[in-house]
Amino acid sequence: MPEIVTLTMNPALDVTTFTDAVVPTRKLRCDEPFYDAGGGGVNVAKVARVLGASTAAVYPAGGARGEQMSGLLDDDDVEEHIVPITGSTRECFTAIDRRSGQEYRFVTPGPELTDEEQERCLATLEKVAEGAKYVVASGSFPPGVPGTFVRRIAAAAHEAGARFVLDSSGDALTSIDSGVYLVKPSLDELCEWTGRELATDDEQIAAARELVTSGVTEIVVVSLGADGAIMVTADEAVRVPALAAKVRSAVGAGDSMVAGLVVGLLQERSLRDALALGIACGTAALLTAGSHVCHREDIDRFDALARLV
């Protein structure tokens, strides 16, 4: 029985390659590309598995790219529950410029999901999540799925007896009004959600706490990019700064952070130490190309540092 079940409504076959320089109009000679199973919840499940948690990933998939994703997740030792769809799983492309080290990411919208396919995603989630500790919905919603669908995911998690963790954006984030255990907006998303600029620590903490006191969630984790992150509850606010790392790729770093947060809470760490594990996983993800899963030895090294700073 998995401890953590993730739902990815818009998974992707991630394709990554390297080229000497990204310039306009010219043909760019690239290395042989490599492929990863990607999308928010899929990435969360992969990293949580690296940390030793039992995980299952629920996601819709169709076409040849959907079949290829399934084979890739086998390599990551993630239990998967695929909801067949008529559309074709999207492909997202990343090109890394060797000369500058810059990363160029091309993200496609994904297939439109029918009402019936959405219902089957929920039914599968409810079945798989029975007895799980956490349900994590991460990533964007594809065409055809309204932001309010997130409320039904929260209800399914509650019905299964699991804590619900949400990491999304746009309507899929702001449509939630209750039933969340932890939500992880970026600072820009929190500003948009609250409708005001949040320039100082006190303003950021106060805005996050409004979501708690209004009953939306119990915990808010605000990712602050180069400034680290803050975790806010009704009674406590803790901050962990960012850690220095040589960035190879930022793909999946936010999802890796969510995995660390959830596993830290699963391990019954203190709030600060759970946040430290989240920061450690997000930092370790920066060392790998594309959405390659981060390595346990890197996570452990950064975790030790994050607990000290």
Side-chain angles (χ1 to χ4, degrees):
M1 182 180 296
E3 299 168 295
I4 300 169
V5 177
T6 69
L7 176 64
T8 311
M9 292 300 293
N10 202 15
L13 179 65
D14 286 341
V15 185
T16 304
T17 189
F18 289 80
T19 188
D20 289 336
V22 177
V23 294
T25 68
R26 290 176 50 192
K27 291 181 180 179
L28 306 180
R29 304 295 179 181
C30 300
D31 290 354
E32 184 71 20
F34 57 85
Y35 299 85
D36 291 293
V42 170
N43 294 331
V44 171
K46 292 191 296 185
V47 176
R49 188 73 193 99
V50 169
L51 291 169
S54 56
T55 62
V58 176
Y59 63 92
R65 290 191 291 267
E67 292 180 7
Q68 189 172 355
M69 269 195 66
S70 172
L72 293 169
L73 268 184
D74 289 344
D75 297 336
D76 291 306
D77 194 27
V78 172
E79 176 186 321
E80 57 185 350
H81 298 266
I82 300 170
V83 179
I85 59 173
T86 56
S88 182
T89 297
R90 64 181 176 149
E91 180 177 280
C92 295
F93 183 79
T94 298
I96 299 174
D97 182 323
R98 286 197 191 90
R99 180 183 60 186
S100 66
Q102 293 294 315
E103 179 179 68
Y104 297 84
R105 299 167 64 178
F106 303 88
V107 180
T108 55
E112 184 164 346
L113 297 189
T114 66
D115 290 345
E116 181 185 353
E117 289 167 345
Q118 294 173 43
E119 293 299 326
R120 285 195 276 116
C121 287
L122 280 178
T124 302
L125 176 66
E126 289 173 359
K127 181 179 179 180
V128 176
E130 190 67 38
K133 301 294 185 183
Y134 288 89
V135 165
V136 182
S138 182
S140 62
F141 283 1
V145 180
T148 52
F149 187 75
V150 72
R151 299 175 187 173
R152 301 189 64 195
I153 301 173
H158 179 75
E159 184 67 23
R163 289 171 164 173
F164 178 48
V165 175
L166 176 64
D167 180 21
S168 192
S169 59
D171 289 345
L173 177 65
T174 57
S175 291
I176 196 70
D177 54 8
S178 65
V180 185
Y181 180 68
L182 184 152
V183 65
K184 190 191 78 66
S186 67
L187 179 56
D188 285 344
E189 288 165 346
L190 185 62
C191 291
E192 183 179 350
W193 201 348
T194 59
R196 61 183 188 269
E197 291 297 316
L198 305 168
T200 68
D201 285 1
D202 287 345
E203 290 172 340
Q204 294 158 13
I205 290 169
R209 188 157 282 145
E210 286 174 12
L211 298 177
V212 177
T213 56
S214 65
V216 172
T217 184
E218 294 183 39
I219 302 173
V220 179
V221 175
V222 185
S223 55
L224 303 171
D227 292 325
I230 54 174
M231 178 182 274
V232 179
T233 67
D235 304 313
E236 192 172 356
V238 296
R239 174 189 285 270
V240 174
L243 302 174
K246 184 176 181 180
V247 179
R248 194 176 188 198
S249 171
V251 177
D255 304 323
S256 299
M257 180 181 176
V258 172
L261 285 165
V262 174
V263 173
L265 294 169
L266 189 64
Q267 294 172 347
E268 299 184 347
R269 290 185 175 208
S270 68
L271 289 183
R272 193 186 189 284
D273 282 354
L275 183 56
L277 183 58
I279 291 289
C281 289
T283 308
L286 299 176
L287 306 183
T288 62
S291 55
H292 270 6
V293 71
C294 50
H295 303 296
R296 181 62 185 264
E297 58 268 27
D298 292 327
I299 296 172
D300 290 344
R301 174 165 54 91
F302 286 126
D303 184 32
L305 288 172
R307 294 200 201 197
L308 293 174
V309 294

